[in-house]
Amino acid sequence: MPDGKTKADEVPDPARAAFELSGRLVLTGQYEEALTATDEAARLYRERIAARPGRLEALGSAAPLAYVLVLRCEALSKLGRWEECLRTASEAVALSRSQQADAPFAAPLGATLMGLATALWGLGRPQEALAMARESVALYRRLARRDAAHRPQLANALSLLGVVLSRLGLHAEALKVTKESVALYRRLISADPAAHALGLAQAVNNLARRRSVLNQGRRALRSAQEAVTLYRQLALANPAVHRRDVAMALGNLARMHFSREASLAAAQESVAILRELAAEVPQTYASSLAEVRALEDRLRALAPPPGA
């Protein structure tokens, strides 16, 4: 056979195919479909582990199973199904910790810890989320020092840690780690813009919030404006996924109080996008729409400036 390949090399791997499909579906915002794909991938990897307990082949299936569970948790979180997300993330962390002594499992553990932190945060348990987020950051720092390929995961973990710290009122530390995340993403995006555009947008949007809480008005405004620009660029390529991101970034921009007219315009555009999304998936977007509509009403009620 050409290139020294065997027939076994050309046989499609159904578990790997289901895994890759899961990732694509999550990336494109098809979360219900992603749940079906992750179910299939997880079933196949579990069967392999059960068939070869304690052997090297089982380890080779445990790592992708952990990542599949992280993808499932991400899809569940986007659908607001936090209890299921927590159960899935807890299973992923337990699986990762059971294999932690094996060097290949350090990165999966970091990913599962972030998934668990996200689930705990979504369920209003920020103290527990903080412990998981800190452990994930510490792990990815060690990995990134040894191998630069882990810098994207470190940047993502730092961004999540900043969110949790802010919710707990630890605003100075939250600003520090969020700035580190943004700086890291800027270095990454200079080498590969497509791969890291979403991470940078999320981190910059978080930075705007951190600066706003600390009354860094002008800097917060610049970050919020940059986040809207970054999300608009992403939405041009993939509107199905990133229209909501644009809407939420616009809502964040509207809260910066830089001018009544500009804030109101941002809120109105956010409401228009969320109204369209809520018409398609009301259970997912209704609460976000209500929140931004209330902001729009407050801005409308403000007295216009003299001479307006």
Side-chain angles (χ1 to χ4, degrees):
M1 302 194 75
D3 302 323
K5 291 183 179 179
T6 67
K7 279 191 174 182
D9 293 324
E10 296 189 349
V11 175
D13 180 349
R16 183 70 188 181
F19 181 7
E20 292 175 351
L21 175 61
S22 300
R24 290 195 298 272
L25 290 169
V26 170
L27 186 63
T28 55
Q30 301 176 71
Y31 302 120
E32 292 287 358
E33 295 87 344
L35 294 181
T36 301
T38 56
D39 275 346
E40 176 65 6
R43 181 185 66 79
L44 291 168
Y45 282 122
R46 286 190 178 107
E47 287 178 356
R48 290 184 181 181
I49 293 169
R52 301 179 178 89
R55 294 177 59 183
L56 185 60
E57 291 90 340
L59 176 61
S61 296
L65 174 57
Y67 281 122
V68 165
L69 294 173
V70 170
L71 287 170
R72 181 173 180 78
C73 184
E74 184 174 350
L76 288 165
S77 71
K78 296 295 186 183
L79 294 168
R81 292 160 59 174
W82 292 109
E83 293 288 352
E84 292 176 75
C85 180
L86 177 62
R87 289 195 294 272
T88 300
S90 298
E91 179 187 355
V93 169
L95 174 63
S96 299
R97 290 201 192 281
S98 72
Q99 305 289 341
Q100 191 176 6
D102 297 284
F105 238 86
L109 176 59
T112 60
L113 287 166
M114 281 197 291
L116 184 53
T118 300
L120 291 165
W121 180 81
L123 286 167
R125 295 161 61 178
Q127 288 285 0
E128 295 167 84
L130 179 59
M132 298 298 103
R134 285 195 191 281
E135 185 179 353
S136 181
V137 166
L139 190 152
Y140 278 127
R141 281 198 196 283
R142 293 195 298 273
L143 290 172
R145 280 196 292 268
R146 296 199 298 265
D147 185 348
H150 293 290
R151 288 176 182 172
Q153 293 99 321
L154 174 58
N156 188 24
L158 286 164
S159 189
L160 174 61
L161 177 58
V163 171
V164 178
L165 286 165
S166 181
R167 182 159 181 175
L168 287 166
L170 301 170
H171 300 302
E173 186 181 357
L175 177 62
K176 180 180 178 181
V177 299
T178 305
K179 288 170 70 174
E180 183 183 356
S181 174
V182 169
L184 188 48
Y185 271 123
R186 291 200 195 283
R187 292 198 294 274
L188 290 165
I189 207 169
S190 66
D192 191 349
H196 305 295
L198 177 57
L200 178 61
Q202 292 169 334
V204 169
N205 201 46
N206 287 338
L207 182 59
R209 293 170 178 162
R210 305 295 85 82
R211 285 173 162 166
S212 179
V213 169
L214 290 171
N215 297 315
Q216 298 181 5
R218 291 185 182 276
R219 291 179 178 179
L221 174 59
R222 286 197 297 270
S223 295
Q225 290 169 331
E226 182 184 1
V228 170
T229 299
L230 291 168
Y231 278 127
R232 286 195 195 282
Q233 292 168 353
L234 287 163
L236 286 174
N238 196 342
V241 174
H242 296 299
R243 278 191 303 160
R244 178 189 181 278
D245 294 327
V246 173
M248 302 313 292
L250 284 164
N252 192 35
L253 179 61
R255 293 179 180 89
M256 295 296 157
H257 305 299
F258 51 108
S259 82
R260 175 185 178 275
E261 290 74 18
S263 291
L264 181 57
Q268 287 172 329
E269 185 180 356
S270 179
V271 166
I273 296 170
L274 288 169
R275 187 178 286 121
E276 292 177 2
L277 294 171
E280 299 167 7
V281 192
Q283 68 272 22
T284 302
Y285 298 106
S287 61
S288 297
L289 174 58
E291 182 181 343
V292 181
R293 286 185 67 180
L295 172 62
E296 180 188 13
D297 290 342
R298 290 197 299 273
L299 290 167
R300 286 184 184 279
L302 294 175

